[in-house]
Amino acid sequence: MSVEKAKAAKKNKKRNRLIFRTIILALLLVAVIYALVSNFNKDKTDISVGSQAPDFKLEQINDNNDLENVKLSDYEGKGVMLNFWGTWCDPCKKEMPYMQSLYPEYKKKGVEIIAVNLDTTKLVVDKFINKFDLTFPVPYDSNKEVRDSYQVGNIPSTFFINPDGEIVEMVEGGMTLNKIEGYLQQILPEQ
């Protein structure tokens, strides 16, 4: 191979490498822009009083309840108290007995209590459920996807959702029996 041909081949190889690298960089840039736009739009979901509650489907882990999965849209036409909690949370421990005491009466009236658990293992949740003899659905949010979609910061956090799927009240922190019952009254379906 002559020196001229070797230089031309080397120049051609450099140009091809440059084109290949440019294409890779362009694909990476597109992927980064897509991820940023997706996250930006995801954060714009409106979670406030008056907005529609985001739908979700989670595995139900309470052995005292027959459901396998909990899907919010299955409760259309009913009021829903959606509570986010963890076994390590002292205010959660205090309000769970209140929720359980109101559950049978309000279930008959068309209101469901759903307590989304945010613990890392199911074993501690099972012990907690049995300790308080909870009978309402306890779905397990293992990847915190539902927590993020409701933009939950501190727990307990509770959303009271009317039969049309609209968030009527958002409460951060523990509640008394009277407060819970007052909010449940607000989401009763019309008789």
Side-chain angles (χ1 to χ4, degrees):
M1 180 182 289
S2 71
V3 175
E4 293 298 320
K5 283 186 177 181
K7 282 184 179 180
K10 188 175 181 180
K11 188 176 179 180
N12 196 22
K13 191 175 179 181
K14 272 185 164 183
R15 190 185 71 208
N16 288 341
R17 197 176 330 156
L18 178 65
I19 291 170
F20 179 75
R21 288 178 179 168
T22 303
I23 290 171
I24 296 295
L25 282 174
L27 290 174
L28 286 173
L29 184 63
V30 168
V32 168
I33 290 171
Y34 176 78
L36 289 174
V37 169
S38 295
N39 283 334
F40 180 73
N41 288 335
K42 188 177 179 182
D43 292 339
K44 291 181 97 179
T45 303
D46 182 29
I47 300 296
S48 60
V49 171
S51 66
Q52 281 297 119
D55 195 14
F56 63 85
K57 183 178 180 182
L58 291 172
E59 176 191 4
Q60 200 284 123
I61 58 171
N62 185 351
D63 291 337
N64 301 326
N65 189 290
D66 294 334
L67 292 176
E68 287 185 27
N69 295 300
V70 175
K71 186 176 178 185
L72 183 63
S73 56
D74 288 344
Y75 297 98
E76 189 176 324
K78 292 184 172 186
V80 175
M81 175 184 172
L82 182 63
N83 175 268
F84 291 86
W85 69 285
T87 56
W88 70 92
C89 159
D90 287 333
C92 302
K93 291 176 190 171
K94 289 181 182 173
E95 70 180 6
M96 282 290 170
Y98 302 145
M99 292 163 55
Q100 180 57 46
S101 70
L102 295 168
Y103 181 61
E105 175 188 348
Y106 279 87
K107 184 174 175 65
K108 288 179 188 170
K109 293 179 177 179
V111 175
E112 188 64 55
I113 294 176
I114 301 171
V116 178
N117 179 265
L118 303 174
D119 276 86
T120 53
T121 63
K122 293 179 186 176
L123 182 63
V124 290
V125 184
D126 286 337
K127 288 181 181 176
F128 187 94
I129 289 170
N130 290 332
K131 178 180 177 185
F132 291 97
D133 201 23
L134 305 177
T135 59
F136 45 78
V138 179
Y140 185 58
D141 190 15
S142 59
N143 58 11
K144 314 295 186 256
E145 189 175 306
V146 178
R147 181 195 70 184
D148 292 345
S149 72
Y150 278 81
Q151 300 167 4
V152 172
N154 297 325
I155 59 168
S157 285
T158 307
F159 298 82
F160 292 89
I161 303 166
N162 71 16
D164 297 326
E166 182 181 293
I167 298 171
V168 174
E169 291 287 345
M170 297 167 46
V171 180
E172 195 172 277
M175 293 180 283
T176 63
L177 179 68
N178 289 338
K179 278 192 174 182
I180 294 172
E181 187 159 22
Y183 290 128
L184 292 177
Q185 289 285 332
Q186 293 181 35
I187 57 172
L188 282 172
E190 290 183 23
Q191 298 298 321

